[in-house]
Amino acid sequence: MYEEIEEYRKILALVEAINEAAPIPVTPTKPLVLSMRERGLRIKTSTPLTLKEVVYAGEEDVILCKLSGVGETKQVFVAALTHIRVKEGHPLADRIKAHQQERRQSLAAQ
């Protein structure tokens, strides 16, 4: 139980840090690109996006990102934190990557 509480606190601290640092320049991963193409948005893994805000969806155990910058309309959409890449050199890049790796390992173990 202690480990779960500590993990929850760690996630909330990351959410707070991301929101304080927003907007953050990001790019989509291949799964996000494929999902957006299914919705008619032509993007690539190199398409610049802006992470505007994040929330933690506790029941789903996922950090959701409000993203913008797609297409001419600058459409806003939501994606999981695991489906974006933060540019190298950003102050939160290492923390976000570590969370993404932990989340992917957790999903793979299910």
Side-chain angles (χ1 to χ4, degrees):
M1 175 114 163
Y2 175 76
E3 289 176 9
E4 291 174 6
I5 293 171
E6 285 304 308
E7 183 62 25
Y8 179 72
R9 286 181 180 159
K10 183 177 165 185
I11 289 170
L12 291 183
L14 179 59
V15 166
E16 184 177 332
I18 292 171
N19 283 328
E20 288 175 1
I24 299 172
V26 299
T27 54
T29 61
K30 189 161 185 137
L32 181 56
V33 167
L34 295 175
S35 177
M36 292 295 98
R37 285 184 180 169
E38 288 175 3
R39 291 171 177 76
L41 296 171
R42 292 281 170 210
I43 65 173
K44 303 181 218 176
T45 55
S46 61
T47 300
L49 303 175
T50 302
L51 188 158
K52 299 280 193 176
E53 178 183 6
V54 295
V55 295
Y56 178 60
E59 287 187 24
E60 300 298 322
D61 192 30
V62 64
I63 296 176
L64 296 173
C65 305
K66 178 180 173 183
L67 302 167
S68 68
V70 175
E72 297 80 35
T73 62
K74 302 296 183 206
Q75 183 173 348
V76 174
F77 60 97
V78 175
L81 185 65
T82 54
H83 292 320
I84 61 160
R85 284 187 305 275
V86 177
K87 296 193 179 208
E88 292 293 329
H90 188 279
L92 293 176
D94 291 340
R95 282 179 69 187
I96 291 171
K97 284 180 187 177
H99 171 80
Q100 290 170 325
Q101 186 167 355
E102 289 172 15
R103 179 70 179 137
R104 286 185 190 108
Q105 289 172 347
S106 172
L107 289 172
Q110 292 180 358

